[in-house]
Amino acid sequence: MSGSGILLDVKGLRVSFSTPRGKVRAVSDASFSVRRGEVTGIVGESGSGKSVSAYAVLGLLAGNGRVEAGSAVFCGRDLLALGEKELRSVRGNEISMVFQDPMTALDPLFTVGSFLTEVLRSHSPQTGRKEAWKKSVEMLSVMGIRDPEDVMRRCPDSLSGGMCQRVMIAAALLCDPQLLIADEPTTALDVTIQEEILSLIQKLKEERGMSVLFITHDLGVVARLCDRVSVMYGGFVMESCSVDQVYSGAVHPYTKALLSAIPRLDDRGEEPLAALEGEPIDPVHLPEGCVFAPRCRYCFEDCLKTRPETFDLGDGHSAACHLLKKGGKADV
Ligand code: SF4
């Protein structure tokens, strides 16, 4: 997919890690994009490659990680081809990231005020201390924090998890980035706080036109927040489409399995949720054919021999499954 509305366009990303067990193929083929003013979700189980893809794009892989192929074009530049200095300037100034556990991301010895003003001044050294304080207070207000001056003077250990995540999102937005990458930002929080953080991101999108790449294992969260979604499994993108399409016309067996596991509003708890049987694949020993084959109820001979190509289904919808070659789809 291409077009002027696309802010980040990732194509053919391949990432591996050297480990004592051998080469871990964390991401084998990931293509996804984020359009301006939209929220794109990347959804998948743990180990699907969704977070590694984001870390790779930002040059934040661990020392044993390597980008083997692909491109990640952001505002006309391929981030994967930039040097560390240029990438550091992109991170924080143009793209910010929010992580899963806000408590560990904040230093308990520093007040929120000293943390936020330092974040702002490190990216914009010409900003004076008073101005940095004022901007930080304003950003905490945007985050829905009622007494921001008080929060500025407190240390993280006196704040709730939800409050800490608001502080982290404030830090991420202080430099007015064009893209926010949020890696499971609500997973470590309880359900009520999760909802508050999702509402906050929704509000930031609507009021500030913010573009977001939202990484999650929860398709229910995608429905709540995202415009488009890419579903990952075993380091491959299985299906990409709009959120409406995922609910009205998902074609990939893995997407359908994820959908069937979402509790419905009219679910009275009488029917057990359909669980996905089998174990996730071992990324050191990827199967020859489709990586989802060992868990797929539609698996047939071709699936065990060759990797499915990605079929363009039109209207921004694509999926990688041999069933599509037959002109069929997985009817669950
Ligand atoms: Fe299932 Fe085959 Fe499609 Fe893979 S390619 S998801 S194994 S039907």
Side-chain angles (χ1 to χ4, degrees), residues 156-173:
D157 57 4
S158 70
L159 301 174
S160 67
M163 191 68 92
C164 286
Q165 195 57 297
R166 282 170 197 269
V167 169
M168 292 311 296
I169 297 173
L173 299 187

Side-chain angles (χ1 to χ4, degrees), residues 6 10-11 58 63 70 93 95 108 111 121 153 159 165 179 203 206 214 232 260 269 284 288 311 317 325 329 331:
I6 291 182
V10 176
K11 283 208 172 95
L58 287 181
N93 285 321
I95 305 179
T111 61
R121 280 162 54 81
R153 293 190 171 83
L159 301 174
Q165 195 57 297
L179 175 66
K203 185 178 123 192
E206 282 165 9
F214 195 94
M232 285 192 77
S260 68
V284 177
E288 203 178 315
F311 291 87
H317 189 175
K325 186 168 58 181
K329 64 177 189 177
D331 294 317

Side-chain angles (χ1 to χ4, degrees), residues 40-42 50-51 54 97 181-185 213-217:
T40 291
I42 302 190
K50 56 190 192 305
S51 296
M97 193 155 178
I181 299 182
D183 183 17
E184 304 249 19
L213 182 63
F214 195 94
I215 297 161
T216 178
H217 63 278

Side-chain angles (χ1 to χ4, degrees), residues 57 117 150 153 171 194 261 331:
V57 164
T117 52
D150 174 56
R153 293 190 171 83
Q194 272 186 29
D331 294 317

Side-chain angles (χ1 to χ4, degrees), residues 238 252-254 289-300 302-304 306-308 320-324 330:
M238 302 271 119
H252 198 284
Y254 179 58
C290 171
V291 283
F292 189 55
R295 300 172 87 182
C296 181
R297 58 194 277 200
Y298 302 94
C299 178
F300 59 103
D302 289 7
C303 308
L304 300 173
T306 52
R307 294 252 160 81
C321 174
H322 284 308
L323 288 173
L324 297 165

Side-chain angles (χ1 to χ4, degrees), residues 14 230 246 262 321:
R14 195 161 76 222
S230 288
V246 93
I262 300 177
C321 174

Side-chain angles (χ1 to χ4, degrees), residues 260-264 267-276:
S260 68
I262 300 177
R264 294 204 322 251
D267 186 355
R268 295 182 189 169
E270 289 148 4
E271 295 284 326
L273 295 178
L276 192 58

Side-chain angles (χ1 to χ4, degrees), residues 13 241 257:
L13 182 64
C241 57

